[in-house]
Amino acid sequence: MINKLVENIKKTRAPIVVGLDPMLDYVPEQVQKKAFQEYGETLEGAAEAIWQFNKAIVDQTYDLIPAVKPQIAMYEQFGIPGLGAFKKTVDYCKEKGLVVIGDVKRGDIGSTSAAYAVGHLGRIKVGGRSYVPFDEDFATVNPYLGSDGVNPFLKVCREEKKGIFVLVKTSNPSSGEFQDQLIDGKPLYELVGAKVAAWGEELMGEEYSYVGAVVGATYPEMGKVLRKIMPKAYILVPGYGAQGGKGKDLAHFFNEDGLGAIVNSSRGIIAAYKQEKYGKYGAEAFAQASRAAVEDMIADIRDAVQLG
Amino acid sequence: MINKLVENIKKTRAPIVVGLDPMLDYVPEQVQKKAFQEYGETLEGAAEAIWQFNKAIVDQTYDLIPAVKPQIAMYEQFGIPGLGAFKKTVDYCKEKGLVVIGDVKRGDIGSTSAAYAVGHLGRIKVGGRSYVPFDEDFATVNPYLGSDGVNPFLKVCREEKKGIFVLVKTSNPSSGEFQDQLIDGKPLYELVGAKVAAWGEELMGEEYSYVGAVVGATYPEMGKVLRKIMPKAYILVPGYGAQGGKGKDLAHFFNEDGLGAIVNSSRGIIAAYKQEKYGKYGAEAFAQASRAAVEDMIADIRDAVQLG
């Protein structure tokens, strides 16, 4: 899947990923109303509303972008029906040729981590048959539990040719509380980055590894260092746009081949119609507003980064 | 909920939690067969099998124990139907008066962590109505992202009188890779432990805080230190039994009041019928084997620990 991701990025010349993180507040009134008419003001109604919202945005943007990143928390908050909308979104995006990064930030140990890996990236046996439960292409993984938590994911990635992005330095203000703590003079995130590079060496695609990393756009200087520590890891970069990261900060995350990083924007794209800048579209044309925001984001990154 | 947990522990004199982590391999043939007859060899069939397995074990043990800890990964691996079995299990255990600790190890930032908190411990608004999506009593939380990831959980805990257990020192062999790294001469897990104590001060129940910690039975010396750093935090102790932790190691995790820790066993209880020791029960009486294993575990802990 890393090969497909790189291929999609080269084809679109757009190293971006649209974060499908639908808060119900983002979903325009007319979409909510229609869903509630069909399913009532229920979890099923909310799930239908976010699924229809996603579908409209994907339909308007899939030709411009290589990948999407649905954040499972936004679906999980609507219980089982919400997770149904997550699954529908994953399947639909894959039909459209997009690479799907499940932002699930799972991480546990041994057989439990294996269960997450199977659930999100692999297949599970039931009697004599096998099923692909959620079937994302990539998943994000939390490294706090060490190699025991990551190895089961590597095993499934090897079998299924799928990938992971390991949290290294997250984009949020308090990420430094633990991640920046110095160990023998070096911050913890560098130690995690070195582990990502080591895990990834065993699992190489054509140009890049199946094992990537998450490094926030809000910490460009740290991105620069991590880029060198993990030369073959794709870096998934959250924190652009709404969280404060700018195009010019992004150059550090890319390699000289113009590859190696993919920048996420969620709210800035999917709720674009709420911004003054895209106000002319109005709530009715929310998906067109998302398309315009995608075009602007691509232009911003092409200005800032020498793409391959 | 911390008050109810303490009350249940005092009532049962059994500071244990049964980990409802059903691998399909653990489910006896006759239970699988019945489920597959009804639903086929499908994800729905697997979900039905693990739900019936859980229900039988809960029916045989609920009068002896204060709490259960379903591990969501084991359900998530069966996709949406699996998560339906998780929800059924949570609801059924609560009906039986048990405290339910959702072992979900979630952790993200800002609105995303808030979505997880709402999904697992809180309630979500849909139009003019509100719903409790998964409705566990406690959830386990991964601290790698710092306070930004934990604060949204604290908010929901305050509103709903629910609690969390933050991963501090996990039971697995590689947990030291990051958690034991020295920062100014002290391991990272102590820094996380100090944060747990600080988060918990703001959210006190009658005797203990709504903010607890996870510390593995496999590291008793570290448990001793952490016990002092977080005197008001309940410690959820995994790693007993199958992972190698013994009764005598557990004393360190308790306070002088005989409270402050709750010890998990999963495989050792739910798959007891597969052990030679409980072989006489056979697969037909798997739930009675679980009851016997619970009784033995309680006796082992009562031997090792001066309970309150």
Side-chain angles (χ1 to χ4, degrees):
Chain A
M1 267 306 151
I2 185 66
N3 298 337
K4 182 172 182 203
L5 180 64
V6 173
E7 188 190 304
N8 275 8
I9 291 171
K10 285 179 176 171
K11 199 171 64 189
T12 54
R13 296 194 68 244
I16 72 166
V17 52
V18 172
L20 295 173
D21 311 355
M23 310 276 279
L24 206 46
D25 283 356
Y26 298 170
V27 180
E29 183 107 12
Q30 77 275 7
V31 178
Q32 290 196 40
K33 211 173 152 188
K34 189 151 177 254
F36 293 161
Q37 272 167 0
E38 197 168 351
Y39 294 94
E41 289 183 348
T42 59
L43 295 177
E44 288 75 12
E48 172 69 9
I50 59 178
W51 151 242
Q52 292 297 344
F53 177 68
N54 284 348
K55 184 174 177 299
I57 291 169
V58 171
D59 284 342
Q60 277 292 330
T61 58
Y62 77 93
D63 58 317
L64 300 175
I65 60 175
V68 292
K69 181 176 75 62
Q71 165 54 260
I72 201 168
M74 296 304 174
Y75 303 83
E76 209 164 306
Q77 68 180 335
F78 296 109
I80 310 283
L83 288 158
F86 176 80
K87 175 66 179 148
K88 268 186 181 168
T89 300
V90 170
D91 289 347
Y92 188 72
C93 291
K94 288 175 71 167
E95 270 173 43
K96 289 286 186 183
L98 296 166
V99 169
V100 177
I101 302 167
D103 198 353
V104 300
K105 294 190 179 65
R106 300 304 194 244
D108 209 292
I109 58 173
S111 58
T112 310
S113 231
Y116 279 133
V118 158
H120 288 282
L121 303 175
R123 57 191 70 231
I124 183 128
K125 278 194 68 173
V126 179
R129 306 184 60 176
S130 88
Y131 295 90
V132 284
F134 284 106
D135 205 22
E136 299 108 291
D137 297 315
F138 285 85
T140 55
V141 172
N142 187 311
Y144 188 69
L145 296 98
S147 299
D148 296 334
V150 175
N151 287 333
F153 278 94
L154 301 182
K155 181 171 176 285
V156 171
C157 286
R158 185 171 289 118
E159 289 163 5
E160 303 286 337
K161 301 224 173 290
K162 294 195 169 181
I164 56 173
F165 291 97
V166 179
L167 303 187
V168 174
K169 172 66 189 173
T170 56
S171 59
N172 54 307
S174 81
S175 69
E177 267 176 31
F178 305 126
Q179 298 164 25
D180 293 3
Q181 293 293 337
L182 295 181
I183 294 149
D184 294 334
K186 283 188 180 169
L188 175 61
Y189 61 77
E190 288 191 24
L191 185 66
V192 179
K195 275 279 178 191
V196 166
W199 291 322
E201 268 175 31
E202 305 293 308
L203 214 61
M204 279 296 296
E206 285 168 24
E207 299 169 80
Y208 282 87
S209 172
Y210 287 84
V211 182
V214 175
V215 184
T218 40
Y219 299 105
E221 289 306 315
M222 300 177 186
K224 201 170 170 176
V225 174
L226 287 164
R227 177 68 289 171
K228 286 189 185 126
I229 294 175
M230 322 173 289
K232 292 297 179 192
Y234 239 84
I235 301 181
L236 171 63
V237 188
Y240 173 87
Q243 283 183 54
K246 307 245 182 306
K248 69 176 169 43
D249 299 329
L250 298 173
H252 301 301
F253 295 88
F254 287 81
N255 276 320
E256 281 178 13
D257 58 7
L259 295 168
I262 185 160
V263 184
N264 179 74
S265 178
S266 301
R267 204 182 338 161
I269 305 287
I270 66 173
Y273 77 96
K274 293 196 167 196
Q275 294 174 45
E276 208 183 313
K277 190 176 173 188
Y278 304 106
K280 66 172 182 194
Y281 291 97
E284 279 295 333
F286 68 96
Q288 283 86 341
S290 294
R291 183 176 178 90
V294 164
E295 286 170 337
D296 289 347
M297 181 178 174
I298 293 173
D300 183 36
I301 292 179
R302 285 184 188 158
D303 270 356
V305 181
Q306 203 66 31
L307 296 179
Chain B
M1 268 307 149
I2 185 66
N3 298 336
K4 181 169 183 207
L5 179 63
V6 172
E7 189 189 301
N8 275 9
I9 290 170
K10 285 179 177 170
K11 199 171 63 190
T12 54
R13 293 196 68 247
I16 73 165
V17 52
V18 172
L20 296 173
D21 310 356
M23 309 276 280
L24 206 45
D25 282 355
Y26 298 170
V27 180
E29 183 106 12
Q30 77 275 9
V31 178
Q32 289 196 41
K33 210 172 152 189
K34 189 153 178 249
F36 293 161
Q37 271 167 1
E38 196 168 352
Y39 294 95
E41 289 183 347
T42 59
L43 295 176
E44 288 75 12
E48 172 68 11
I50 60 177
W51 152 243
Q52 292 297 344
F53 177 70
N54 285 347
K55 182 173 178 300
I57 291 169
V58 171
D59 284 342
Q60 278 291 332
T61 59
Y62 76 94
D63 58 317
L64 300 176
I65 60 174
V68 291
K69 180 176 76 62
Q71 166 54 260
I72 200 169
M74 296 304 175
Y75 304 82
E76 210 165 303
Q77 68 180 337
F78 297 109
I80 310 284
L83 288 157
F86 176 81
K87 174 67 178 148
K88 267 185 179 168
T89 300
V90 170
D91 289 347
Y92 188 71
C93 291
K94 289 175 70 167
E95 269 173 42
K96 290 284 184 183
L98 296 166
V99 169
V100 177
I101 301 168
D103 197 353
V104 300
K105 295 191 179 63
R106 300 304 194 242
D108 209 293
I109 58 172
S111 58
T112 310
S113 231
Y116 279 131
V118 158
H120 288 281
L121 303 176
R123 55 192 71 231
I124 182 128
K125 278 195 65 171
V126 179
R129 307 184 61 177
S130 87
Y131 295 89
V132 284
F134 285 105
D135 205 22
E136 299 108 294
D137 297 316
F138 285 84
T140 54
V141 173
N142 187 309
Y144 188 68
L145 296 98
S147 298
D148 296 334
V150 175
N151 287 332
F153 278 93
L154 301 182
K155 181 171 177 283
V156 170
C157 286
R158 186 169 288 116
E159 289 163 4
E160 303 287 336
K161 300 224 174 290
K162 294 197 169 179
I164 56 174
F165 291 97
V166 178
L167 303 187
V168 173
K169 171 69 189 173
T170 56
S171 60
N172 55 306
S174 81
S175 70
E177 267 176 30
F178 305 128
Q179 297 165 25
D180 293 3
Q181 293 292 337
L182 295 181
I183 294 150
D184 295 332
K186 285 189 178 167
L188 175 61
Y189 63 76
E190 288 192 25
L191 186 66
V192 179
K195 275 281 176 187
V196 166
W199 291 322
E201 268 176 30
E202 306 293 311
L203 212 62
M204 279 296 295
E206 283 167 26
E207 298 169 83
Y208 283 88
S209 171
Y210 287 85
V211 183
V214 175
V215 183
T218 42
Y219 299 106
E221 289 306 314
M222 299 177 186
K224 201 170 172 177
V225 175
L226 286 164
R227 177 67 289 169
K228 285 189 187 126
I229 294 175
M230 321 174 291
K232 292 297 178 194
Y234 239 84
I235 301 182
L236 172 62
V237 187
Y240 172 88
Q243 285 183 54
K246 307 244 181 308
K248 66 176 171 46
D249 299 329
L250 297 173
H252 302 300
F253 295 88
F254 287 79
N255 276 318
E256 281 178 11
D257 58 6
L259 295 167
I262 184 160
V263 183
N264 180 74
S265 178
S266 302
R267 207 183 334 161
I269 305 286
I270 66 173
Y273 77 96
K274 294 196 166 199
Q275 295 173 45
E276 207 182 316
K277 189 175 174 188
Y278 305 106
K280 65 172 181 191
Y281 291 97
E284 279 295 331
F286 67 97
Q288 282 86 338
S290 295
R291 184 178 179 88
V294 163
E295 286 169 338
D296 289 346
M297 180 178 174
I298 293 172
D300 183 36
I301 292 178
R302 284 184 190 157
D303 270 356
V305 180
Q306 203 66 32
L307 296 179

